[in-house]
Amino acid sequence: MNNNPNLLSFTAAVGLALLLAVVEPSRAQTGKLNLEDASLQSLIATVAEVTGKNFVLDPRVQEVTVNVISNREMNPDEMYELFLSVLRVHEFSAIPAGDVIKIVPDAKGLRDAIPLVGGNPRGDQLVTQVVEVKHVPAAQLVPLLRQLIPQNGSVAAHEGSNVLVISDRAANVSRLAQIIRRIDTVSEDDVEVMALQHANATEVVRALNTATAGAGANGGGGPKALADQRTNSVLLFGDPAARLRYKTIVSHLDTPIEAGGSTQVIYLRYASAESLVPILDSVVRGPDGDATEGPATIQAHAETNSLVVTAPPAVFRTVQSVVRQLDVRRHQVQVEAIIAEVSTDFARELGVQWQAASIDALGDSGPIGGTGFPTNFGTGPDILDLTPTGENVFPNLSALGAGLNLGYLSGVIEVQTGVDADGLPIIQEIPRLNALVSALDSDADNNVLSTPSIVTLDHQEAVINVGQEVPFVTGQFTNTGANQAAVSPFQTITREDVGLTLTVTPHINEGDTVILAIQQEVSSISAQSVAVDLITNKRELSTTVMVPDGGVLVLGGLIDDTVSERIQKVPALGDIPLLGNLFKYRTTQRTKRNLMVFIRPRILKDQATMDAVTGAKYNFMRDSQLEEQRNYDGLLRAESLPLLPTLEEYREVQEAEPESSDQ
């Protein structure tokens, strides 16, 4: 080391000139302090010029080189605080002594007359504070607190007055005083509860047990610590001396990380980040909409399904606790609906119709009469429907209805029944003598079993729709008349879903009971076509029920037995015994319908249950395909029909695909 005094003086003078040129405090009283490889003595000279303070330097100051970077203007007080921080980094202290401030190494400064302060001091100034202890022997705290202060600091106990004398940097002295106040409590019980203000109770207990595990602190009858997440407290068990040691460590860990808050990311496993943001905002802001523990912002990052939280430590712990309780794996529910319908349609028709005419060949005059009964179900004809048309002298057999039809025809005659718009006569041909006996007996049985099933998350709506879109005519246009515009005929249609729709929302309660909000609809096209368009049969059910896990409950149903009978007859003649049947037409229809809807929920709690349900359905489909192969009698080879692989083979293929893609 070069100890040439002339060289040192020259270096100090150059450094001082550079600092004054940078700061210029005499004119602005504010400035930026940016130094690179400057001597500590030069920095002290600049601070003295700005603040007006007098400094006495230890000879070892000349050996220290400092680097200071500031990005904003500072007033004298702020510059002095920065100066104290620089001294602390280089293990020097500023000790007030009358009108001057002594700059000495830390080890020497603690032996000097450093100022005695009270309250909650701040900053990097060396201070001494006397802390009164009321309930705990001060001497017992000395070995515990000595671990929390640097080597150059000091802590001592005065047993007569039961006080602690602490000398260290002001900020650390204030922190130690707060720890002492938390430890210094009355404790005659075997359990103590320490409510934490900044740290997380679970993390503190984990760190505490890890740190003391090597010494066997939690073994045998030693002290123990438990965390209460609900109140964010630590429960301490053991003898008073052991608990005192634990309380010191817990108080040391329960310190704020940053006064202004920090930004952290919480990755979610099950919940949706975007759906949690409104809930967490409401929790943080409270019922009045104002954050009481400091500003906080919560944002969702959809790509990683995570939350970005900027908040003070206390608020962040609240957010983290709420997220931990909401981000849980939700059970899934398999819902099976069983729709069973058995219906029978029974119809009978029996009747006699006849026509007679005695008109001469010219058709001028003569009696005519008879009966005509159009059938009830539209399957049989009126006897006049059998009349030949045009040059055809044979009866119109295409008009015969279903069932047995027996009759007799004896030719036709032409009868004028009116005139048309042009004044021309309207001629109708009717049989001279006709008789028609119709008999029909029909039975229709319908047996339908539908078992739609769907799997969904708890509290999540799910919909399954199996059917067709059927077109229904809603309007049409045709050109009629000479004055109509030259527009092509057209029809307008609408398409409606016809089939099966199941909408269900499960809610799992305690005790494995499931509340199901169900909307179910089954529709089909009716075989009847007496209306102007298609007729659809519709069965709809909307309800909310409670069913135990794996139980079966009937949701509702319909038992319908309808009998419809129609008798058409000629007055008086139809009432004659036996003979009256020649003047009567009878139709009878009976419809019986039994419809029941059942529901069966099953909670899929874990992967084993889901695998069992999936495997059962998968094997059922594969067995159906194998049965189809065994009964196949087509032109292709049975082995060429589609066939699912076994579930084990399918899983092996899926697991091997990533490996092959990596290669």
Side-chain angles (χ1 to χ4, degrees), residues 561-628:
D561 191 352
T562 303
V563 177
S564 176
E565 186 169 358
R566 180 180 181 186
I567 300 177
Q568 295 175 295
K569 64 182 179 179
V570 178
L573 296 179
D575 296 330
I576 300 174
L578 297 179
L579 186 61
N581 291 326
L582 299 176
F583 305 94
K584 189 181 299 182
Y585 201 102
R586 290 174 293 186
T587 59
T588 301
Q589 184 177 19
R590 182 174 185 177
T591 302
K592 296 184 66 176
R593 182 184 298 109
N594 295 323
L595 172 66
M596 288 293 167
V597 181
F598 304 87
I599 202 74
R600 179 178 182 264
R602 184 175 182 182
I603 302 175
L604 309 181
K605 300 180 180 179
D606 48 35
Q607 189 63 41
T609 307
M610 290 188 288
D611 289 344
V613 172
T614 303
K617 296 294 184 181
Y618 191 94
N619 294 331
F620 172 78
M621 291 300 299
R622 191 172 188 276
D623 292 342
S624 300
Q625 291 178 330
L626 291 173
E627 182 68 21
E628 182 68 20

Side-chain angles (χ1 to χ4, degrees), residues 61-81:
V61 170
Q62 298 179 357
E63 304 173 3
V64 179
T65 301
V66 298
N67 293 280
V68 182
I69 299 175
S70 64
N71 58 1
R72 67 180 182 87
E73 299 286 336
M74 293 180 292
N75 58 37
D77 292 337
E78 293 173 335
M79 189 171 293
Y80 187 73
E81 290 295 329

Side-chain angles (χ1 to χ4, degrees), residues 465-484:
N465 190 335
V466 181
Q468 297 176 317
E469 285 191 348
V470 178
F472 291 87
V473 177
T474 58
Q476 60 182 358
F477 173 80
T478 58
N479 275 330
T480 57
N483 297 327
Q484 294 293 331

Side-chain angles (χ1 to χ4, degrees), residues 182 193-209 225-236 250 253-254 313 317-318 320-321 324:
R182 297 190 63 182
V193 179
M194 294 188 66
L196 304 185
Q197 302 296 325
H198 306 284
N200 180 274
T202 303
E203 296 176 357
V204 168
V205 169
R206 185 185 301 114
L208 188 65
N209 292 334
L226 297 177
D228 181 25
Q229 294 185 1
R230 187 180 67 85
T231 60
N232 195 43
S233 302
V234 175
L235 283 70
L236 301 177
V250 171
L253 295 176
D254 186 29
R317 285 197 311 276
T318 301
Q320 193 176 38
S321 175
R324 187 183 302 112

Side-chain angles (χ1 to χ4, degrees), residues 288-427:
D288 299 331
D290 296 327
T292 57
E293 299 187 39
T297 59
I298 305 173
Q299 296 178 334
H301 188 254
E303 287 76 6
T304 58
N305 193 37
S306 57
L307 297 169
V308 181
V309 182
T310 302
V315 178
F316 179 79
R317 285 197 311 276
T318 301
V319 172
Q320 193 176 38
S321 175
V322 175
V323 170
R324 187 183 302 112
Q325 298 177 65
L326 294 179
D327 186 29
V328 295
R329 175 167 180 162
R330 295 159 60 187
H331 291 329
Q332 299 185 94
V333 181
Q334 181 195 40
V335 181
E336 288 183 313
I338 304 173
I339 306 166
E341 180 177 1
V342 178
S343 61
T344 301
D345 289 335
F346 169 80
R348 284 184 179 178
E349 296 184 16
L350 179 62
V352 177
Q353 302 181 67
W354 56 271
Q355 291 286 343
S358 179
I359 302 177
D360 55 27
L362 298 177
D364 293 335
S365 61
I368 182 173
T371 61
F373 302 114
T375 59
N376 189 37
F377 307 115
T379 57
D382 189 335
I383 194 170
L384 294 178
D385 295 336
L386 304 177
T387 303
T389 59
E391 301 296 331
N392 187 9
V393 298
F394 298 99
N396 184 15
L397 299 180
S398 63
L400 289 173
L404 177 63
N405 293 278
L406 298 176
Y408 175 79
L409 300 177
S410 61
V412 298
I413 60 175
E414 294 181 351
V415 177
Q416 179 178 345
T417 59
V419 294
D420 58 15
D422 298 330
L424 299 177
I426 299 175
I427 304 301

